[in-house]
């Protein structure tokens, strides 16, 4: 069982979204975003690890990923040829599900998005989950949108302390250079 309070869950989601959004703006796709690839530190803040499937947007797709977390577009039978930052959004949805439901995400082929999302009681979390799990990347929201929803207070886990979440966001913003300063 996964047991975090609302503020901790929101900070975990925010930290993941912020970090992956940063990588995506650098033209990098993580490629295997699962809760198994997220370490949680003593402040309940996420640290992303396992960059074995990471690719630049310009590189060929890597048809490897964790079943249930890997987006449909990475499989050769779906005829996609380029990486898309919203591929990471698909795995992020499964992490949201785990945080919301408190269980391990059911891996493998999911029978129906509705049967899985119905386990999420909070309608706002379910809404974001469904936006992130669309079959085609162009139908998914991006991390910029997710971050805006979190910072507007419209997407937070129940019982979240908005001030603590907001302070964590500012800490994240101040801890790194804008992506364009890293690009030669």
């Amino acid at each position: 069982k996964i047991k975090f309070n609302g503020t901790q869950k929101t900070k975990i989601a925010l930290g993941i979204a912020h970090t992956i959004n940063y990588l995506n703006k650098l033209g990098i796709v993580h490629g295997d975003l699962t809760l198994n690839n997220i370490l949680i530190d003593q402040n309940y803040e996420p640290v992303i690890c396992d960059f074995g499937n990471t690719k630049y947007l310009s590189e060929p797709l890597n048809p490897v990923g964790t079943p249930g977390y890997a987006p449909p577009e990475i499989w050769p039978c779906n005829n996609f040829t380029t990486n898309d930052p919203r591929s990471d959004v698909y795995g992020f949805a499964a992490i949201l599900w785990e945080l919301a439901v408190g269980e391990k995400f059911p891996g493998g082929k999911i029978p129906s998005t509705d049967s899985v999302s119905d386990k999420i009681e909070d309608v706002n979390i379910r809404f974001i989950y469904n936006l992130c799990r669309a079959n085609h990347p162009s139908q998914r929201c991006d991390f910029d949108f997710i971050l805006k929803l979190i910072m507007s207070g419209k997407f937070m886990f129940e019982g979240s302390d908005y001030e603590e979440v907001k302070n964590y966001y500012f800490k994240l913003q101040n801890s790194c250079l804008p992506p364009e300063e890293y690009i030669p």
Side-chain angles (χ1 to χ4, degrees), residues 71-106:
E73 62 267 17
I74 71 161
W75 307 115
C77 62
N78 289 326
N79 297 319
F80 284 84
T81 57
T82 59
N83 288 299
D84 190 302
R86 290 167 294 191
S87 296
D88 286 332
V89 171
Y90 193 85
F92 178 75
I95 293 170
L96 288 181
W97 188 92
E98 291 175 326
L99 291 171
V101 175
E103 299 173 7
K104 189 80 177 132
F105 191 75

Side-chain angles (χ1 to χ4, degrees), residues 45-63:
E45 296 173 4
V47 178
I48 298 170
C49 61
D50 190 357
F51 290 87
N53 287 338
T54 301
K55 293 279 191 179
Y56 284 101
L57 290 171
S58 59
E59 292 182 297
L61 282 168
N62 186 6

Side-chain angles (χ1 to χ4, degrees), residues 38-152:
I38 309 294
L39 306 174
I40 307 297
D41 72 11
Q42 68 276 7
N43 298 316
Y44 297 97
E45 296 173 4
V47 178
I48 298 170
C49 61
D50 190 357
F51 290 87
N53 287 338
T54 301
K55 293 279 191 179
Y56 284 101
L57 290 171
S58 59
E59 292 182 297
L61 282 168
N62 186 6
V64 177
T66 304
Y69 298 84
E73 62 267 17
I74 71 161
W75 307 115
C77 62
N78 289 326
N79 297 319
F80 284 84
T81 57
T82 59
N83 288 299
D84 190 302
R86 290 167 294 191
S87 296
D88 286 332
V89 171
Y90 193 85
F92 178 75
I95 293 170
L96 288 181
W97 188 92
E98 291 175 326
L99 291 171
V101 175
E103 299 173 7
K104 189 80 177 132
F105 191 75
K109 295 257 183 200
I110 307 302
S112 140
T113 301
D114 291 340
S115 67
V116 173
S117 70
D118 284 348
K119 288 190 84 171
I120 302 173
E121 293 178 13
D122 184 305
V123 294
N124 292 325
I125 304 296
R126 187 181 319 135
F127 173 74
I128 296 300
Y129 170 85
N130 286 327
L131 278 177
C132 294
R133 288 299 278 198
N135 278 329
H136 196 281
S138 68
Q139 297 170 330
R140 292 181 209 134
C141 62
D142 61 17
F143 283 111
D144 278 329
F145 181 74
I146 293 166
L147 290 169
K148 286 175 187 166
L149 286 177
I150 294 171
M151 295 317 300
S152 71

